[in-house]
Amino acid sequence: MAIESGAATAGESTPGCTDDLAYDVFARACPSREALKHITDRWGSLTLGALLDGTFRFNELRRRVEGVSEKMLAQTLHALERDGLVHREAQQSNPPRVDYALTPLGNQLARQLRLLIDLVEDRMPQVLEARERYDARHAAG
């Protein structure tokens, strides 16, 4: 399966990656590590998850992803747009309107991410019990 824009295909070496895999997130200099960071960091994953619900204007998205600052959301959207996961559409209107939506690739990744989010939410009772046990063990010591 070829990767667009002249990048490596399966079996070819990629700068910063191991020779036996085109991309290896465990290799320090592999570009897949940076993309994974954008997808899985706190604001990236929440932004992608929110955009699964549809197209949002900047402030709508900021309200949906509670706690994110304007600066962090702008940086996150820029990184996700650069990675081809988010589409930014500026409309010529008064006042100017900018909409953000997932690209097909972003939608595919966000759906997988949503499975993880759902699993975390479903398993929170076990997580909270584990935290209580941990805290009880370490409070006595």
Side-chain angles (χ1 to χ4, degrees):
M1 181 166 139
I3 299 170
E4 293 182 21
S5 63
T9 59
E12 294 179 12
S13 180
T14 300
C17 298
T18 61
D19 290 334
D20 59 337
L21 294 173
Y23 296 98
D24 180 4
V25 76
F26 298 103
R28 181 182 314 170
C30 187
S32 63
R33 186 178 282 195
E34 183 180 12
L36 183 64
K37 176 184 167 222
H38 296 157
I39 295 163
T40 60
D41 77 4
R42 175 181 12 175
W43 303 121
S45 60
L46 293 174
T47 300
L48 288 169
L51 285 170
L52 263 177
D53 294 335
T55 300
F56 288 88
R57 294 175 73 175
F58 184 87
N59 285 324
E60 293 172 330
L61 192 54
R62 187 164 172 231
R63 284 190 297 274
R64 177 74 175 107
V65 182
E66 291 182 14
V68 67
S69 70
E70 188 172 319
K71 178 182 175 182
M72 283 308 303
L73 182 57
Q75 289 175 353
T76 298
L77 287 167
H78 176 77
L80 295 173
E81 182 183 7
R82 183 172 180 252
D83 288 344
L85 306 178
V86 169
H87 173 73
R88 177 185 185 275
E89 184 173 340
Q91 299 177 15
Q92 301 300 322
S93 61
N94 191 10
R97 178 185 175 115
V98 179
D99 292 319
Y100 295 91
L102 294 172
T103 64
L105 175 60
N107 189 283
Q108 186 179 19
L109 288 168
R111 288 188 182 285
Q112 295 299 311
L113 189 57
R114 180 65 67 92
L115 293 173
L116 178 60
I117 290 168
D118 291 345
L119 180 62
V120 168
E121 290 176 343
D122 290 345
R123 299 297 184 239
M124 278 312 296
Q126 290 123 316
V127 171
L128 294 173
E129 288 173 15
R131 287 179 183 175
E132 287 177 17
R133 287 190 306 271
Y134 179 92
D135 291 345
R137 280 194 318 269
H138 288 84

